[in-house]
Amino acid sequence: MAGQDTLTFTDDNFDTEVLGSDIPVMVDFWATWCGPCKMIGPLIDEIATANVGKAKVGKLNTDDNRNTAMKYNISAIPSILFFKNGEVVKQIVGMTSKNDLQAAIDATA
């Protein structure tokens, strides 16, 4: 369900891929049953492709990775968290535009 440049984050790889990343990371917390998640998915994929090498962009399925979702208090999806140096620096909950997503990555970089 993800584009070729969109990473898949899990409970098992989150610490390494997100918290240990030396470049900014955008994480889309989603689930297969979530309508708005399906709507924003193509935008996430476009952002991933546009930012290869500049930022990691990926998705974390909240149903399959409950520990990470609980750690970040994800109570509504889609929730998109932006990480820099292992810390959350911005969060967007619900639908948003491609421009807003890109602006958040640019501000994090």
Side-chain angles (χ1 to χ4, degrees):
M1 192 167 171
Q4 67 179 15
D5 297 313
T6 306
L7 303 172
T8 299
F9 300 127
T10 66
D11 286 345
D12 292 335
N13 73 9
F14 197 85
D15 286 354
T16 303
E17 291 293 325
V18 177
L19 303 182
S21 178
D22 57 354
I23 59 175
V25 185
M26 182 179 99
V27 181
D28 173 24
F29 288 81
W30 71 287
T32 56
W33 49 264
C34 169
C37 297
K38 292 177 185 175
M39 292 170 52
I40 203 168
L43 299 181
I44 302 294
D45 293 341
E46 290 175 27
I47 292 293
T49 299
N51 289 280
V52 169
K54 177 181 175 184
K56 290 183 180 181
V57 176
K59 300 178 179 196
L60 183 134
N61 183 315
T62 57
D63 288 339
D64 296 338
N65 300 281
R66 294 181 189 272
N67 291 339
T68 303
M70 285 178 19
K71 179 179 178 180
Y72 291 97
N73 299 312
I74 303 301
S75 59
I77 54 175
S79 284
I80 302 166
L81 274 58
F82 297 83
F83 291 81
K84 184 173 185 176
N85 299 322
E87 300 292 325
V88 176
V89 295
K90 183 169 182 63
Q91 180 173 1
I92 299 172
V93 178
M95 282 301 297
T96 190
S97 70
K98 181 179 172 184
N99 288 342
D100 287 346
L101 293 172
Q102 186 62 55
I105 286 180
D106 292 342
T108 305

